[in-house]
Amino acid sequence: MNSFFKTFFASLLAILVSGIFFFLFSLFVFAGLLSVLSSSGSRSQKGKSHLQPHSILHIDLSRPIVDKPVDNALALFDYSALSFRHQTTLLDAVSRIELAAQDPRIDGIYLEMPMALPTSLATLYELRQALTTFRESGKFIISYADLYSQGSYYLATIGDKIYLNPQGGLAWEGLSANVLFYKGLLDKLGIRVDLIRHGRFKGAGEPLILDRLSDENRRQLTSITHSTWDYLCQEIAQSRELNPDSLQSYADRLAVATPRDALRLRLVDSLLYRDELRDQLNTLSHNTDDPSDDPRLIPLADYHDNPATPSADLLGNPDSDNGIAIVYASGDIVDAGDPNEQIVGNTLAATLGEIRRDPDIHAVVLRVNSPGGSALASEIIWREVRQLRQSEKPVIVSMGDYAASGGYYMSCDADYILAAPTTLTGSIGVFGLVVNLQEGASRHLGITSDGVRTAPGADMGNPFRPLSPAERLYIQNGVDSVYNRFLQVVSEGRSLGLDTVDTLAGGRVWTGLQATEHRLTDATGTLRDAIRLAAQRAGLSDNDYAIRQYPEPEEPTFATLLGSLSGSIVARLGLGSSPSAATGPRLLDRELEHLRPLIPRSGIQASIPFTLEWRY
């Protein structure tokens, strides 16, 4: 008994000591974080006095410009630097560029291009349009890079001058699109995948059943890749006063091998080292007080602390009672999951429902950036979009990089659809995947399966047996039913005949330019254009509406960090009651992101038929 009490009290003491230690450690950590936040705040206040006459807005493209605002302070905290990362959204960037055009203290813009560009083509298009408007102010835009990628060069060509490091480079090779196929691996593992689809262009799942592109998939990949490349060449040629055919020839011949080639072919204006660039910036900004001084650069992320006039918000009037909602729909469309990273059908529908019932919101801009996903979740969101329209609140869709399949499903009933020229959209088709592990599990692992059932299809989808012909027909009927429903909602939403929609459907993917030509979208345009159109459709003047974002961008503070941290802990411990809490399969999916094509999703899907990554 004495031994028991000794052990008991020793354990109790250890728990108390460790608890006190953990408490003190937590206080130390949080005190440090509070100090960091306080110092960040004081630096921000000091930054307000930094903007002087003859300043230059510095847009460093190595810092990502995100489509959807982050509403989780923990996601913005950099543990290595013990500070918060700036989040600059597309809306922020466009607004600040527009403000800079009116700010007499800003003489121009300096675009600094990184070697690796973390910004998508659709975002580059939005920035380029904003910079086009900025140039109308008469202020300069210049760019500099050690190495221009094709994407960064596309953006740079909107400027007055393009400078390149004399020992750098300019990639001009054309676009390529590649798809990995896993059938050979699955054959070796004894895994069979049944792909059940409606739409001959619906290539989702093809990497699991083929070892090369199908004829239909090759045809649509060729079409959208050439459409995007032709658009880039046309825009660049117009800006640089070149012939688009010449640009194609340079890519065909790999003619831009050295910086001097780029200069000779008039792709850049001069070859400069960075110290020479400094002198150019000082000259352009008339900073002649002391030519040896560094140029007065104001980073894009800090410029919001220094608006030209605090009330001159070109994206609306914060004091107005008339709201325009910007709702971000980014990621895969799922029935249940993490709404911070995915589009959860019922969660987004609930948000749209709240907006519909809010009398202070008069119009909605739905920013879609999704390759698709669950057909059921897409239908649920589509229903709320329709109800918004029926409540006489205009709905304008702004498409980002993707608004395909389920992403198009949720968009097609909007009052007006704007796409970027390079948006991948359409993909009106449906598929289902069923995996059969029977042979591989038996041959390689010695695992077999047996059981009882009350009906032949009671365990349909059991991965340890093949589908029967009746079960396959059952799933095919479900796929066909969803496909026909998809055609119906597109036909009604776009005022097109069913036969017309069917010829454009079949799972085929279109670029924004092609979709506009075929009336699947109304025009090419930016998020800024969508906001203007929403205000116009709601009968609101430029200074008579306030922008409300869903989710609302979260300012990183000590309190929000604590809230995010506690929420993260609850999710990781599996204590959350919400279906959006992280689950085992979801965590596994995150860890095995690079193997996503090998993990078929359950249910009938409306997803883009491939994961397309262009080299740009």
Side-chain angles (χ1 to χ4, degrees), residues 348-580:
L348 181 56
T351 298
L352 295 174
E354 291 173 11
I355 292 170
R356 173 167 48 86
R357 292 184 292 271
D358 189 335
D360 294 330
I361 294 180
H362 300 278
V364 177
V365 174
L366 182 61
R367 176 67 174 182
V368 180
N369 213 330
S370 172
S374 165
L376 175 59
S378 301
E379 166 78 18
I380 290 170
I381 298 166
W382 167 86
R383 170 68 178 169
E384 277 299 335
V385 171
R386 164 155 289 196
Q387 288 189 295
L388 269 169
R389 287 189 64 188
Q390 291 173 345
S391 69
E392 299 185 352
K393 293 188 179 184
V395 180
I396 311 300
V397 164
S398 170
M399 293 179 169
D401 296 294
Y402 292 94
S405 210
Y408 186 74
Y409 196 126
M410 71 167 70
S411 304
C412 65
D413 207 57
D415 293 272
Y416 205 83
I417 300 176
L418 290 170
T422 60
T423 296
L424 296 183
T425 188
S427 191
I428 302 167
V430 188
F431 75 98
L433 288 171
V434 180
V435 178
N436 177 10
L437 306 175
Q438 184 181 45
E439 179 187 344
S442 174
R443 187 201 325 157
H444 299 294
L445 302 175
I447 297 175
T448 57
S449 175
D450 198 4
V452 298
R453 49 194 172 186
T454 60
D459 65 339
M460 182 170 48
N462 180 350
F464 293 99
R465 71 170 180 85
L467 288 174
S468 68
E471 290 169 336
R472 185 176 181 85
L473 179 61
Y474 174 84
I475 297 174
Q476 184 68 61
N477 288 337
V479 166
D480 293 344
S481 174
V482 174
Y483 179 78
N484 290 331
R485 172 62 177 164
F486 202 162
L487 293 183
Q488 179 188 357
V489 300
V490 174
S491 173
E492 294 174 359
R494 300 301 303 163
S495 300
L496 297 170
L498 278 172
D499 291 341
T500 300
V501 175
D502 198 20
T503 61
L504 298 172
R508 182 158 185 176
V509 180
W510 307 96
T511 64
L513 288 170
Q514 295 170 328
T516 300
E517 180 183 345
H518 293 300
R519 296 174 56 198
L520 293 175
T521 58
D522 293 290
T524 56
T526 64
L527 177 59
R528 184 69 177 92
D529 295 329
I531 295 170
R532 287 194 185 100
L533 184 58
Q536 178 185 335
R537 292 287 180 101
L540 303 173
S541 60
D542 288 344
N543 60 352
D544 192 29
Y545 63 84
I547 295 297
R548 299 188 191 176
Q549 298 185 67
Y550 299 82
E552 188 73 25
E554 178 147 16
E555 284 295 324
T557 65
F558 185 61
T560 57
L561 178 64
L562 281 177
S564 299
L565 184 61
S566 62
S568 175
I569 290 172
V570 168
R572 288 180 181 276
L573 292 177
L575 301 178
S577 57
S578 167
S580 64

Side-chain angles (χ1 to χ4, degrees), residues 317-328:
N317 177 7
D319 298 324
S320 174
D321 294 328
N322 301 316
I324 292 180
I326 301 180
V327 182
Y328 295 94

Side-chain angles (χ1 to χ4, degrees), residues 292-309:
S292 64
D293 285 348
D294 288 333
R296 295 168 182 170
L297 302 181
I298 177 74
L300 181 68
D302 294 340
Y303 183 54
H304 70 287
D305 288 334
N306 302 276
T309 54

Side-chain angles (χ1 to χ4, degrees), residues 64-105:
I65 295 176
V66 299
D67 205 67
K68 175 183 176 182
V70 176
D71 63 345
N72 183 340
L74 190 61
L76 295 173
F77 190 71
D78 185 343
Y79 293 94
S80 61
L82 284 181
S83 63
F84 286 102
R85 294 186 299 273
H86 285 290
Q87 68 160 330
T88 302
T89 66
L90 178 59
L91 197 63
D92 293 332
V94 170
S95 178
R96 292 167 196 177
I97 290 170
E98 291 188 4
L99 284 170
Q102 295 188 1
D103 191 337
R105 297 166 296 180

Side-chain angles (χ1 to χ4, degrees), residues 66-369:
V66 299
D67 205 67
K68 175 183 176 182
V70 176
D71 63 345
N72 183 340
L74 190 61
L76 295 173
F77 190 71
D78 185 343
Y79 293 94
S80 61
L82 284 181
S83 63
F84 286 102
R85 294 186 299 273
H86 285 290
Q87 68 160 330
T88 302
T89 66
L90 178 59
L91 197 63
D92 293 332
V94 170
S95 178
R96 292 167 196 177
I97 290 170
E98 291 188 4
L99 284 170
Q102 295 188 1
D103 191 337
R105 297 166 296 180
I106 297 291
D107 284 353
I109 288 178
Y110 162 41
L111 300 173
E112 183 176 5
M113 303 299 185
M115 292 187 181
L117 192 67
T119 306
S120 68
L121 275 178
T123 300
L124 292 176
Y125 162 73
E126 300 257 359
L127 293 175
R128 201 174 193 272
Q129 297 302 105
L131 292 170
T132 300
T133 303
F134 177 89
R135 285 193 65 179
E136 297 173 359
S137 68
K139 300 180 180 184
F140 70 83
I141 301 174
I142 69 164
S143 67
Y144 182 86
D146 295 319
L147 175 64
Y148 282 104
S149 67
Q150 293 174 140
S152 62
Y153 183 67
Y154 158 70
L155 181 61
T157 55
I158 197 57
D160 302 283
K161 298 291 182 180
I162 301 176
Y163 298 124
L164 175 63
N165 188 309
Q167 300 303 316
L170 192 157
W172 192 253
E173 307 148 357
L175 288 182
S176 64
N178 298 288
V179 180
L180 292 179
F181 293 85
Y182 304 94
K183 181 179 182 298
L185 172 63
L186 298 182
D187 287 345
K188 291 181 178 181
L189 296 175
I191 298 174
R192 178 186 170 186
V193 176
D194 282 313
L195 173 61
I196 304 170
R197 58 183 169 178
H198 194 130
R200 59 196 178 99
F201 288 97
K202 199 66 178 177
E206 280 191 359
L208 305 177
I209 63 171
L210 300 176
D211 56 10
R212 66 191 65 191
L213 291 170
S214 65
D215 291 342
E216 293 81 6
N217 223 348
R218 184 177 301 278
R219 178 179 164 192
Q220 73 175 345
L221 268 176
T222 300
S223 174
I224 62 179
T225 301
H226 279 273
S227 173
T228 301
W229 175 247
D230 290 345
Y231 165 76
L232 294 177
C233 288
Q234 290 286 345
E235 292 292 296
I236 291 170
Q238 182 177 352
S239 297
R240 297 295 296 174
E241 298 182 353
L242 299 170
N243 189 320
D245 293 337
S246 297
L247 290 175
Q248 180 65 58
S249 174
Y250 299 158
D252 291 341
R253 296 185 288 110
L254 295 175
V256 191
T258 68
R260 293 199 173 278
D261 291 332
L263 182 62
R264 175 177 53 83
L265 297 172
R266 297 172 45 217
L267 299 180
V268 301
D269 294 291
S270 187
L271 305 180
L272 298 177
Y273 290 103
R274 287 187 181 270
D275 61 300
E276 296 173 308
L277 172 70
R278 182 195 64 188
D279 297 336
Q280 284 287 328
L281 289 171
N282 275 330
T283 300
L284 286 168
S285 63
H286 309 290
N287 183 22
T288 56
D289 296 339
D290 186 351
S292 64
D293 285 348
D294 288 333
R296 295 168 182 170
L297 302 181
I298 177 74
L300 181 68
D302 294 340
Y303 183 54
H304 70 287
D305 288 334
N306 302 276
T309 54
S311 61
D313 184 350
L314 298 184
L315 291 178
N317 177 7
D319 298 324
S320 174
D321 294 328
N322 301 316
I324 292 180
I326 301 180
V327 182
Y328 295 94
S330 299
D332 292 339
I333 304 170
V334 296
D335 298 311
D338 183 353
N340 292 316
E341 298 184 9
Q342 301 163 300
I343 302 170
V344 182
N346 284 312
T347 302
L348 181 56
T351 298
L352 295 174
E354 291 173 11
I355 292 170
R356 173 167 48 86
R357 292 184 292 271
D358 189 335
D360 294 330
I361 294 180
H362 300 278
V364 177
V365 174
L366 182 61
R367 176 67 174 182
V368 180
N369 213 330

